[in-house]
């Protein structure tokens, strides 16, 4: 019971728990964005190159052709054969203004297999070809 001559305390809001919750949510979003990697091709051991050029495909379409170590082909992670590769890329090239095809070949793939895939892709109008590499660690 309050005595009549005691001063009335103003209401207080304790914001420390709210700050803790906000920092917990912020930490969750920061950590979750670190795991959002865009993997367009199958995992392969890319060849190393010191002089690389990054492609700018902002207004163009991008697809990835992966050649696995065993020689198997994949178009945007979907298995494809060499005979049907050009037909599937040709249909993608007609829906987009310009299509950049990124060749993601394992370094152990025979050179002839890579050249055969590149030959098929170069015969398609409206398609630019890019080869994926990684920079060697110093």
């Amino acid at each position: 019971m309050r005595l009549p001559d005691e001063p009335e305390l103003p209401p207080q809001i304790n914001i420390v728990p709210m700050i803790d919750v906000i920092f917990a949510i912020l930490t969750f979003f920061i950590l979750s964005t670190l795991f959002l990697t865009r993997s367009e091709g199958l995992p392969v051991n890319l060849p190393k190159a010191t002089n690389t050029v990054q492609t700018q495909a902002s207004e163009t379409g991008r697809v990835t052709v992966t050649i696995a170590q065993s020689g198997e082909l994949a178009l945007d992670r979907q298995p494809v054969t060499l005979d049907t590769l050009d037909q599937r890329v040709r249909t993608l090239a007609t829906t987009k203004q310009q299509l950049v095809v990124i060749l993601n070949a394992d370094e152990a793939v025979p050179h002839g297999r890579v050249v055969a895939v590149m030959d098929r892709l170069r015969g398609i109008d409206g398609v630019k070809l890019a080869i994926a590499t990684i920079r060697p660690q110093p």
Side-chain angles (χ1 to χ4, degrees):
M1 185 173 203
R2 190 173 67 84
L3 297 174
D5 51 341
E6 282 184 34
E8 193 171 309
L9 295 174
Q12 295 179 350
I13 298 175
N14 191 358
I15 64 168
V16 174
M18 185 174 65
I19 292 173
D20 289 343
V21 169
I22 290 173
F23 278 128
I25 292 172
L26 181 65
T27 304
F28 169 76
F29 282 118
I30 290 172
L31 289 176
S32 64
T33 56
L34 293 176
F35 295 105
L36 294 176
T37 58
R38 184 175 169 179
S39 178
E40 297 159 342
L42 298 174
V44 293
N45 294 323
L46 293 175
K48 294 174 178 56
T50 55
N51 299 319
T52 60
V53 177
Q54 293 189 355
T55 58
Q56 303 274 334
S58 57
E59 68 267 349
T60 61
R62 277 178 130 168
V63 295
T64 302
V65 174
T66 305
I67 307 174
Q69 186 174 3
S70 60
E72 297 162 345
L73 290 173
L75 178 64
D76 282 339
R77 292 184 168 249
Q78 301 297 321
V80 68
T81 63
L82 185 60
D83 297 330
T84 60
L85 175 66
D86 54 347
Q87 177 189 8
R88 299 233 344 242
V89 171
R90 203 177 306 268
T91 58
L92 292 172
T94 58
T95 60
K96 298 180 170 63
Q97 292 176 345
Q98 185 169 6
L99 187 67
V100 176
V101 178
I102 300 169
L103 188 58
N104 203 7
D106 193 287
E107 65 182 346
V109 173
H111 184 67
R113 181 74 168 163
V114 176
V115 170
V117 171
M118 289 173 64
D119 186 44
R120 293 282 177 115
L121 295 173
R122 283 191 190 154
I124 303 170
D125 291 331
V127 170
K128 281 189 166 185
L129 188 61
I131 299 174
T133 60
I134 57 172
R135 287 184 185 254
Q137 296 297 326

